[in-house]
């Protein structure tokens, strides 16, 4: 890598953190910190520090490097190019506060120099737009956007993908017995169980009311059923303490996968099939998992 001579941008003493905030792409609002001394790579490959399931990116597309007190972006021979302020770059380019950085055809970031407080504020805005306020899981809108991206990635790489849909059994009874605050306590507990019981690469979101959807990358139907059984058992054994009372609850699961719907699958088909199997689980007595039929 060869760098041309440049004058590093002057960083205000309190705004010395490089930050990329996604303004277009699969995860709008996402904040990436650029630490001095680190050189994160961006691309589709799992080997990259920042991975994006986007067909417009090369496997290892670009990287940001720290040189002489400045952040520079370098294209790594990508097919669709790296752009700074809409100009395709051919050599490492210094990033300045407010620059527009584009990787490939779809993913765009705004580079900024921020204080620790400003970076924290950016992250809070992102969290509030993508996270359900009660459970801490992803909102339905963000979940659907992520699921679309995961399906496209899985189909492109002929990789398995499973979707789990679950809800709380007899949730109306919980609300009638303990009131809506008691029901909220159950949903918060369920959100915590899912957050702790899933892998880093899995995606869990509140789909509506007491319904939740989980996306399992690299997992087929049979493994998805096993994962659902494990979560079902954890939920069944968990106890919610509310106003001096203990509340136990169970959940039913429907499991669908790409192998169930074929190569023309889309989000609506997968979720619909998982929902149908969840309905079968209810018919079979609840507190069970259905992955076929």
């Amino acid at each position: 890598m060869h760098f041309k001579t440049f004058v590093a941008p002057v960083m205000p003493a309190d705004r010395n953190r490089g930050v990329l905030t996604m303004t277009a792409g699969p995860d709008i609002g996402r904040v990436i910190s650029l630490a001095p001394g680190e050189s994160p790579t961006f691309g589709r490959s799992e080997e990259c520090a920042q991975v994006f399931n986007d067909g417009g990116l090369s496997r290892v597309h670009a990287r940001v490097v720290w040189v002489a007190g400045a952040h520079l972006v370098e294209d790594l021979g990508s097919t669709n190019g790296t752009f700074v302020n809409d100009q395709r770059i051919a050599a490492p380019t210094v990033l300045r506060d407010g620059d527009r950085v584009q990787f490939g055809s779809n993913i765009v970031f705004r580079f900024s120099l921020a204080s620790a407080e400003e970076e924290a504020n950016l992250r809070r805005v992102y969290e509030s737009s993508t996270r359900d306020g009660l459970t801490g899981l992803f909102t339905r809108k963000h979940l659907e956007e992520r699921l679309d991206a995961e399906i496209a990635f899985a189909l492109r790489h002929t990789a398995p993908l499973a979707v789990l849909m679950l809800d709380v059994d007899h949730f109306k009874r919980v609300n009638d017995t303990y009131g809506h605050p008691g029901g909220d306590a159950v949903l918060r507990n369920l959100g915590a169980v899912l957050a702790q019981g899933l892998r880093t690469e899995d995606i869990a979101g509140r789909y509506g009311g007491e319904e939740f959807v989980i996306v399992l990358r690299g997992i087929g139907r049979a493994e998805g059923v096993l994962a659902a059984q494990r979560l079902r058992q954890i939920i069944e054994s968990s106890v919610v303490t509310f106003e001096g009372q203990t509340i136990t609850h169970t959940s039913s699961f429907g499991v669908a996968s790409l192998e169930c719907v074929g190569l023309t699958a889309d989000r609506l088909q997968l979720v619909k099939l998982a929902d149908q199997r969840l309905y079968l689980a209810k018919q079979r007595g609840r507190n069970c998992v259905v992955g076929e039929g």
Side-chain angles (χ1 to χ4, degrees):
M1 176 173 57
H2 301 285
F3 298 103
K4 297 179 179 179
T5 301
F6 66 90
V7 178
V10 178
M11 297 186 182
D14 63 337
R15 298 180 68 238
N16 55 7
R17 309 165 78 91
V19 175
L20 288 173
T21 304
M22 185 178 288
T23 58
D27 203 0
I28 293 175
R30 175 177 172 181
V31 177
I32 297 174
S33 296
L34 301 172
E38 295 184 356
S39 301
T41 50
F42 297 73
R44 290 189 288 108
S45 170
E46 295 292 337
E47 299 175 358
C48 292
Q50 300 294 332
V51 181
F52 303 91
N53 298 336
D54 184 276
L57 291 183
S58 296
R59 286 182 54 77
V60 182
H61 192 100
R63 67 178 169 182
V64 175
V65 297
W66 172 261
V67 177
H71 294 286
L72 290 80
V73 62
E74 178 189 16
D75 187 80
L76 298 177
S78 71
T79 300
N80 293 329
T82 299
F83 303 78
V84 176
N85 298 327
D86 299 321
Q87 297 296 313
R88 185 164 184 166
I89 63 171
T93 301
V94 179
L95 294 177
R96 302 181 184 277
D97 192 33
D99 278 351
R100 182 178 187 270
V101 183
Q102 180 175 335
F103 299 128
S105 52
N106 302 317
I107 295 180
V108 181
F109 288 93
R110 179 184 182 275
F111 174 78
S112 58
L113 296 173
S115 65
E117 181 179 359
E118 288 170 334
E119 182 180 350
N121 286 336
L122 287 171
R123 293 189 181 280
R124 278 193 289 270
V125 170
Y126 172 67
E127 289 292 322
S128 66
S129 67
T130 60
R131 297 284 180 177
D132 173 61
L134 179 63
T135 65
L137 302 179
F138 286 127
T139 62
R140 176 169 175 167
K141 180 178 182 297
H142 188 72
L143 172 78
E144 290 178 337
E145 291 171 350
R146 294 289 299 275
L147 179 52
D148 284 338
E150 291 293 333
I151 291 171
F153 180 85
L155 292 176
R156 187 165 59 247
H157 295 277
T158 321
L161 182 76
V163 171
L164 282 53
M165 178 170 271
L166 67 142
D167 72 3
V168 179
D169 294 330
H170 300 297
F171 188 66
K172 183 178 185 300
R173 185 185 301 171
V174 173
N175 278 333
D176 290 344
T177 304
Y178 302 98
H180 288 286
D184 287 349
V186 167
L187 295 178
R188 277 195 296 271
N189 177 72
L190 185 55
V193 167
L194 296 181
Q196 294 168 10
L198 295 172
R199 304 170 303 169
T200 303
E201 62 267 35
D202 297 332
I203 304 164
R206 187 179 180 189
Y207 203 68
E210 69 275 20
E211 286 188 331
F212 298 81
V213 167
I214 300 168
V215 183
L216 303 177
R217 181 190 295 180
I219 285 181
R221 187 195 62 81
E223 291 175 295
V225 169
L226 292 176
Q229 288 285 17
R230 180 177 59 82
L231 291 171
R232 182 195 63 77
Q233 293 169 355
I234 295 172
I235 293 167
E236 183 180 21
S237 63
S238 68
V239 175
V240 179
T241 302
F242 174 72
E243 294 185 350
Q245 304 177 83
T246 58
I247 308 174
T248 58
H249 61 96
T250 61
S251 291
S252 301
F253 286 75
V255 180
S257 67
L258 286 181
E259 64 197 271
C260 300
V261 294
L263 296 178
T264 59
D266 59 24
R267 166 171 48 86
L268 295 178
Q269 289 175 288
L270 268 177
V271 172
K272 181 180 179 180
L273 182 56
D275 188 38
Q276 289 171 345
R277 291 174 174 175
L278 170 59
Y279 181 73
L280 287 176
K282 297 291 189 182
Q283 288 185 319
R284 295 178 186 180
R286 298 181 169 83
N287 192 26
C288 64
V289 175
V290 173
E292 56 188 13

